[in-house]
Amino acid sequence: MNLSSTTDGNRRVVTVNESRIDAAVALTFKEQMRTETESGPDTVILDLQQVQFVDSSGLGAIVAAMKTMGKGRTLALAGLNPTVSKVFQLTRMDSVFQLFPTLDDALDSLDA
Amino acid sequence: MSTEASPVIVKMKFRSGPLAVRAALAHIVSELQPMNWSKEDLGTVEIVLAEALNNIVEHAYTGEDVAGPIAIDCRAQTSALHVRIIDDGHPMPDEQPPELTEANLDMDLLDLPEGGFGWYLIRKLANDVEYRRENNQNVLDLHLALAASA
């Protein structure tokens, strides 16, 4: 599971350099997200622009990552393709996360 | 229209496992390309199949190092896909697939569910779901209505 991150002021962008967040990698994703977010800014943008597919295990791992960050911090999601968006919409998780069409949209909306 | 009359597009059998599910999904989606379904419809098919197969890996073949065969048979018409998935694992609880129950997200952030979305997605996206226990096997039939792209 390849994640990379950059910090820009009060925001950290964690980029998923993988095409899938699925049952095969959900646990690893969750653990690596803990490492990427345990310190640093309160606002984290998860850049999903390279991700083609998220299944329910991947969705659960993203929810777990947000819960691990704790209250008072924000996990925003950017760059969801239509199939990934569908999973969030159907499970109504689109009401739990801030979703942005692109990383630039997220960076424009969330203050540095 | 009879399901059996539809041409078989994919017929495969593999040993259960998360990476094997990944490979199976990639194969099926690639074999469905000639149907000219929209990218969105192919995404729907992939979600439904992923959840059905992950459930088999996680629940039918439970326990450490327990794996077993999964057989998939996809039949397609212009605007419909019929998938039959057979495994040799444990039966579903009460020999019934889970019904659709709406997720309740009106709760504290830290209490949000991290699982249980799989059957929810199948019920939301598949037009018809039939399950039966037959000869000590699980037989799951999934029917999806799809629109060919122009």
Side-chain angles (χ1 to χ4, degrees):
Chain A
M1 192 83 205
N2 183 342
L3 303 185
S4 58
S5 68
T6 56
T7 303
D8 164 23
N10 295 323
R11 306 165 302 187
R12 174 164 292 172
V13 176
V14 178
T15 302
V16 182
N17 301 303
E18 301 276 349
S19 63
R20 303 174 78 86
I21 307 176
D22 60 13
V25 295
L27 201 60
T28 314
F29 171 80
K30 196 167 130 179
E31 284 165 5
Q32 292 192 18
M33 277 299 284
R34 181 192 297 270
T35 308
E36 298 288 351
T37 64
E38 62 189 352
S39 61
D42 284 344
T43 299
V44 175
I45 302 166
L46 187 63
D47 173 8
L48 297 171
Q49 294 186 111
Q50 296 171 62
V51 176
Q52 303 298 312
F53 189 75
V54 173
D55 68 9
S56 65
S57 301
L59 174 69
I62 294 171
V63 172
M66 179 188 64
K67 288 163 69 171
T68 303
M69 284 171 58
K71 284 189 173 177
R73 299 181 73 199
T74 300
L75 180 62
L77 311 180
L80 288 72
N81 81 7
T83 301
V84 177
S85 277
K86 182 175 277 186
V87 169
F88 278 83
Q89 281 164 16
L90 288 172
T91 57
R92 294 178 38 231
M93 282 294 169
D94 58 339
S95 66
V96 172
F97 292 94
Q98 290 188 62
L99 305 182
F100 297 95
T102 66
L103 178 59
D104 284 342
D105 291 323
L107 291 169
D108 286 346
S109 300
L110 300 165
D111 284 339
Chain B
M1 190 180 293
S2 160
T3 300
E4 276 66 28
S6 310
V8 175
I9 304 291
V10 185
K11 196 174 175 69
M12 66 186 300
K13 194 167 181 175
F14 62 97
R15 194 165 169 79
S16 65
L19 289 171
V21 165
R22 236 189 212 194
L25 290 171
H27 177 68
I28 292 168
V29 169
S30 115
E31 294 293 309
L32 291 177
Q33 295 296 335
M35 297 305 296
N36 281 325
W37 291 330
S38 67
K39 211 169 171 175
E40 189 183 345
D41 274 349
L42 281 174
T44 299
V45 168
E46 187 167 7
I47 295 168
V48 172
L49 294 185
E51 300 306 338
L53 295 172
N54 285 337
N55 274 316
I56 293 171
V57 171
E58 288 165 28
H59 301 298
Y61 294 120
T62 49
E64 289 292 315
D65 299 323
V66 174
I70 299 176
I72 305 176
D73 177 324
C74 297
R75 294 164 187 269
Q77 296 156 14
T78 312
S79 57
L81 176 69
H82 311 281
V83 183
R84 175 166 292 175
I85 306 175
I86 301 178
D87 68 76
D88 296 351
H90 296 295
M92 292 202 196
D94 301 324
E95 302 202 0
Q96 292 288 332
E99 292 298 325
L100 180 65
T101 48
E102 291 289 336
N104 175 18
L105 303 180
D106 185 17
M107 58 180 68
D108 193 276
L109 184 87
L110 298 182
D111 294 328
L112 282 173
E114 294 171 28
F117 307 117
W119 264 100
Y120 181 83
L121 289 169
I122 294 171
R123 289 285 189 193
K124 279 277 189 185
L125 293 171
N127 298 81
D128 192 31
V129 177
E130 292 158 42
Y131 167 82
R132 64 178 187 276
R133 186 76 180 167
E134 194 175 87
N135 303 323
N136 286 323
Q137 291 182 313
N138 297 309
V139 181
L140 182 66
D141 283 311
L142 301 165
H143 306 272
L144 288 95
L146 305 159
S149 55

